[in-house]
Amino acid sequence: MTATSLAGRRLRDELEQRRGEVEAALSLGFLPRDAVLLVARPVAATALVPALDQTRTVGLVTLPGAFVGVLLGGGSAVQAGAAQLLVLAGLLAAEAIAVWVTVEAVARGALPG
């Protein structure tokens, strides 16, 4: 949810600030979606930074729930680590897809930018 709201807010702000760039791209013959994506791609990358930071520190600062759950359930440390990696990869994938959908929706005009 954080990545989606960051992408939406930052994209709206960037489109307001860089309106001239979008209009210049349109005047060069870019499709409206492509003109917006010129501004949107860096915003999408920035929106994923908190999720990447959180993923990087998992296990160093806190004991993740999936890891502890597997250990308490009788699994080995390797199994617990594998389960936690699966959960983290799934979370990152879901956030990346959510940001992509948000950016695409704004670029296609489905959401106001």
Side-chain angles (χ1 to χ4, degrees), residues 2-13 43 47 102-103 106 112-113:
T2 302
T4 305
S5 63
L6 277 175
R9 277 191 257 155
R10 287 295 306 143
L11 184 54
R12 185 187 63 218
D13 294 342
V43 170
T102 301
V103 168
V106 171

Side-chain angles (χ1 to χ4, degrees), residues 104-112:
E104 262 311 305
V106 171
R108 292 177 186 256
L111 293 176

Side-chain angles (χ1 to χ4, degrees), residues 26-46:
L26 290 171
S27 70
L28 290 172
F30 280 70
L31 295 173
R33 175 187 171 271
D34 296 331
V36 170
L37 285 177
L38 288 174
V39 173
R41 285 190 179 112
V43 170
T46 304

Side-chain angles (χ1 to χ4, degrees), residues 55-110:
T55 301
R56 188 174 41 198
T57 60
V58 165
L60 298 175
V61 180
T62 61
L63 289 174
F67 187 87
V68 173
V70 172
L71 287 178
L72 292 177
S76 70
V78 173
Q79 290 172 328
Q84 187 60 44
L85 284 175
L86 181 66
V87 169
L88 291 175
L91 287 172
L92 281 176
E95 289 191 39
I97 290 169
V99 167
W100 174 71
V101 168
T102 301
V103 168
E104 262 311 305
V106 171
R108 292 177 186 256

